[in-house]
């Protein structure tokens, strides 16, 4: 069933579990993610990143996610991830997304507040949830510099008071695009942020978080845990293996359906770490 972000994270953030949010890039991986969530009876958030939007277009991304959500046996959110352009956000709202992230992490505090408030105002009119970011989660993909700005607890408090977003992404030591689980979470900072701002928190760059820290963080005030990179990695690795093992294979449906199993397996593993199994 198709639901909003707000209704899922409002319950999860004070509980001892968090909702998994997975990036989709194609129809096949979106199907594989929902399958994993259904098998674990976990609510799930499907996220279309800027690269997914470039690849699929806003309306096709919305169609894929909403169609899968409406037919799913578990609650599913269709979420626009890391949108920096208000035009894209409003088009996503029109296309049927039930949740949007306005990413103003490259803006000044005041400009981030101003634009986030506008998004919240419009989203409220349509019953759509809003996530925003304070501080900046960096990137650590090969060849790219990490430019993270850790979230200041006072800034998180003020930002939430001014914007009233449904979920707040914070920078506490993770980075996008990590291939190894080597992120060092600043748990003291997390404690300070959650004491300052009573809002469901969002962890980005969670592919790089060690397993035991993912479980620990899911018991804190995080309601949404974003995972992308590791799904791309296991999907492509499985495709490579299938092609090596079966050089005669000529059918791309068979190839992609078989490779998608790697995505489902990883989704189920992450769900078990986030303790969200059986919550649907
Ligand atoms: O917004 C998406 C996430 O932050 C994904 O991060 O690709 O490093 O897991 P990741
Ligand atoms: Zn992110």
């Amino acid at each position: 069933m198709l639901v909003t972000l707000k209704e899922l994270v409002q319950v999860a953030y004070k509980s001892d579990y968090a909702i998994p949010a997975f990036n989709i890039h194609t129809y096949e991986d979106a199907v594989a993610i929902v399958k994993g969530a259904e098998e674990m009876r976990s609510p799930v958030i499907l996220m279309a990143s800027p690269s997914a939007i470039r690849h699929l277009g806003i309306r096709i991304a919305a169609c894929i996610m909403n169609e899968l959500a409406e037919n799913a046996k578990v609650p599913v959110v269709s979420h626009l991830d890391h949108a920096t352009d208000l035009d894209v956000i409003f088009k996503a709202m029109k296309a049927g997304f039930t949740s949007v992230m306005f990413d103003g992490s490259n803006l000044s505090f005041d400009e981030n507040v101003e634009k986030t408030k506008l998004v919240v105002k419009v989203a409220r009119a349509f019953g759509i949830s809003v996530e925003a970011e304070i501080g900046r989660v960096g990137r650590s993909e090969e060849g790219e510099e990490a430019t993270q700005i850790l979230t200041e607890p006072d800034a998180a408090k003020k930002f939430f008071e001014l914007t009233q977003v449904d979920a707040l992404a914070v920078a506490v030591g993770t980075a996008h695009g990590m291939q190894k689980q080597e992120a060092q979470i600043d748990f003291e900072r997390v404690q300070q942020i959650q004491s300052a701002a009573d809002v469901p928190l969002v962890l980005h760059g969670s592919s790089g978080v060690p397993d035991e820290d993912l479980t620990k963080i899911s018991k804190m005030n995080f309601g949404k845990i974003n995972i992308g990179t590791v799904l791309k990695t296991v999907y492509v690795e499985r495709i490579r293996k299938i092609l090596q093992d079966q050089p005669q294979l000529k059918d791309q449906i068979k190839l992609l359906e078989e490779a998608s199993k790697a995505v489902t397996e990883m989704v189920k593993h992450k769900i078990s770490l986030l303790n969200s199994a059986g919550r649907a």
Side-chain angles (χ1 to χ4, degrees), residues 155-171:
K157 176 180 159 62
K158 199 170 160 206
F159 187 84
F160 176 55
E161 281 171 0
L162 291 168
T163 62
Q164 294 296 307
V165 286
D166 301 303
L168 185 59
V170 289

Side-chain angles (χ1 to χ4, degrees), residues 23 47 81-82 101 103 133 137 139 176 203-205 226:
N23 284 116
M47 303 190 292
D81 196 23
H82 286 291
M101 176 194 189
D103 181 352
E133 179 164 333
V137 178
R139 260 178 205 285
H176 287 107
L203 189 68
H204 282 249
N226 285 17

Side-chain angles (χ1 to χ4, degrees), residues 137-196:
V137 178
R139 260 178 205 285
S140 81
E141 276 156 328
E142 281 172 20
E144 283 192 56
E145 283 293 304
T147 55
Q148 81 167 346
I149 301 171
L150 292 174
T151 303
E152 294 300 335
D154 285 348
K157 176 180 159 62
K158 199 170 160 206
F159 187 84
F160 176 55
E161 281 171 0
L162 291 168
T163 62
Q164 294 296 307
V165 286
D166 301 303
L168 185 59
V170 289
V172 292
T174 56
H176 287 107
M178 290 180 77
Q179 290 292 338
K180 292 188 180 147
Q181 291 175 277
E182 291 178 344
Q184 289 182 5
I185 306 263
D186 183 344
F187 284 101
E188 202 183 316
R189 189 176 292 270
V190 174
Q191 289 286 4
Q192 290 166 350
I193 293 170
Q194 64 185 34
S195 308

Side-chain angles (χ1 to χ4, degrees), residues 118-246:
L118 176 61
V119 172
V120 170
K121 191 172 180 199
V122 179
R124 291 278 184 273
F126 294 108
I128 294 168
S129 307
V130 178
E131 173 188 341
E133 179 164 333
I134 189 72
R136 188 194 303 141
V137 178
R139 260 178 205 285
S140 81
E141 276 156 328
E142 281 172 20
E144 283 192 56
E145 283 293 304
T147 55
Q148 81 167 346
I149 301 171
L150 292 174
T151 303
E152 294 300 335
D154 285 348
K157 176 180 159 62
K158 199 170 160 206
F159 187 84
F160 176 55
E161 281 171 0
L162 291 168
T163 62
Q164 294 296 307
V165 286
D166 301 303
L168 185 59
V170 289
V172 292
T174 56
H176 287 107
M178 290 180 77
Q179 290 292 338
K180 292 188 180 147
Q181 291 175 277
E182 291 178 344
Q184 289 182 5
I185 306 263
D186 183 344
F187 284 101
E188 202 183 316
R189 189 176 292 270
V190 174
Q191 289 286 4
Q192 290 166 350
I193 293 170
Q194 64 185 34
S195 308
D198 188 14
V199 54
L201 300 174
V202 181
L203 189 68
H204 282 249
S206 308
S207 292
V209 178
D211 285 359
E212 60 277 15
D213 285 354
L214 266 190
T215 301
K216 193 168 163 188
I217 215 99
S218 69
K219 298 184 197 304
M220 301 178 85
N221 279 15
F222 283 88
K224 174 172 179 275
I225 306 293
N226 285 17
I227 299 168
T229 299
V230 68
L231 295 190
K232 285 202 285 192
T233 304
V234 297
Y235 194 31
V236 174
E237 275 174 359
R238 187 66 63 90
I239 287 174
R240 193 174 292 118
K241 184 172 186 323
I242 294 168
L243 289 175
Q244 274 164 1
D245 292 350
Q246 303 175 54

Side-chain angles (χ1 to χ4, degrees), residues 83-84 101-109 111-112 116 132-133 135:
T84 52
M101 176 194 189
F102 172 64
D103 181 352
S105 62
N106 279 315
L107 306 175
S108 67
F109 181 86
E111 205 182 339
N112 192 359
T116 302
E133 179 164 333

